[in-house]
Amino acid sequence: MTKNKKNALMVLSGGMDSVTMLHEYAADIELAVNFSYGSNHNARELECARYHCGLLGIELVEIDLSFIGLHFHSSLLEGPDAIPEGEYDFDNMKSTVVPFRNGIMLAAAAGLAESHGLSVIMIANHAGDHALYPDCRDTFIKAMAEAIKAGTYEGIQLKAPYTLLTKADIALRGKRLGIDYATTYSCYRGLEKHCGRCGTCIERRQALKEAGIVDTTEYEDE
């Protein structure tokens, strides 16, 4: 039987969600891309992205989008002390929104996919992001999918299979896949250890707990 040709490019941050998708869809993924845009946690996430691509034998392309960090406004771009502490809710975490980040990344990913002859782009947005981040919502993903399809010769597809899943749902998938989540990174402060107090750290802890996964992440507050 002829082995199916891998046809997908995946946007890979190195966080829990994208690493889970990388493992779950590894049989389809030919290429992964990581974007450095000046966020506090870019470097830590990139280490994780490199590790998991190496583990799975998937090529990783690293693209510099440093103009975002230079010209856009977001607490995610302004150092660890700018990140608010507390629950992952709209009022507390709105300052972390990087304007149109996913739109910019997906546009670059579309060009990269077409250049490599790949017909699918994958992104790991999920339901927990919807209220806070406009460019993670189902309506945005559908609109971007139409734009990418219309703007490429081969009609490249955008797939976001985690759009309606919670972070705990994704963690459960990772549990079945045997992923060690200590080799992923979430903290918006970008410290050596997860701070344990910002919204993303709290969300991470809750998701792992709900999925029944022993949390071996190193937190500063422990």
Side-chain angles (χ1 to χ4, degrees), residues 86-98:
E87 295 293 330
Y88 197 89
D89 59 38
F90 183 82
D91 291 334
N92 194 42
M93 295 296 287
K94 185 181 179 182
S95 73
T96 66
V97 173
V98 178

Side-chain angles (χ1 to χ4, degrees), residues 35-38 63-70 101 104-105 108:
F35 294 101
S36 293
Y37 57 96
I63 294 181
D64 181 8
L65 296 178
S66 55
F67 70 88
I68 291 177
L70 293 173
R101 175 182 57 182
I104 294 165
M105 291 180 179

Side-chain angles (χ1 to χ4, degrees), residues 107-174:
L112 185 63
E114 189 158 52
S115 296
H116 283 263
L118 301 174
S119 59
V120 174
I121 298 168
M122 302 189 73
I123 187 170
N125 61 300
H126 65 88
D129 294 330
H130 294 183
L132 184 62
Y133 300 104
D135 57 358
C136 288
R137 297 171 187 161
D138 188 40
T139 50
F140 170 80
I141 294 297
K142 288 176 179 176
M144 201 69 186
E146 287 299 316
I148 290 171
K149 182 179 179 181
T152 53
Y153 277 113
E154 300 301 323
I156 291 173
Q157 298 179 62
L158 173 60
K159 294 185 178 181
Y162 290 177
T163 298
L164 301 180
L165 300 183
T166 67
K167 202 173 191 75
D169 293 331
I170 295 168
L172 276 170
R173 293 188 176 205

Side-chain angles (χ1 to χ4, degrees), residues 14-16 41 44-45 47-48 167 180-205 208 215-222:
M16 284 180 62
H41 62 317
R44 294 304 314 279
E45 283 192 323
E47 292 173 7
C48 299
K167 202 173 191 75
D180 177 7
Y181 281 118
T183 60
T184 66
Y185 193 84
S186 302
C187 182
Y188 272 0
R189 288 194 166 141
L191 307 172
E192 182 65 26
K193 296 180 180 180
H194 285 69
C195 75
R197 300 180 300 277
C198 70
T200 47
C201 282
I202 292 170
E203 183 195 40
R204 177 188 178 96
R205 280 175 151 166
L208 292 172
D215 190 356
T216 57
T217 307
E218 291 188 343
Y219 294 101
E220 279 200 332
D221 64 348
E222 289 181 341

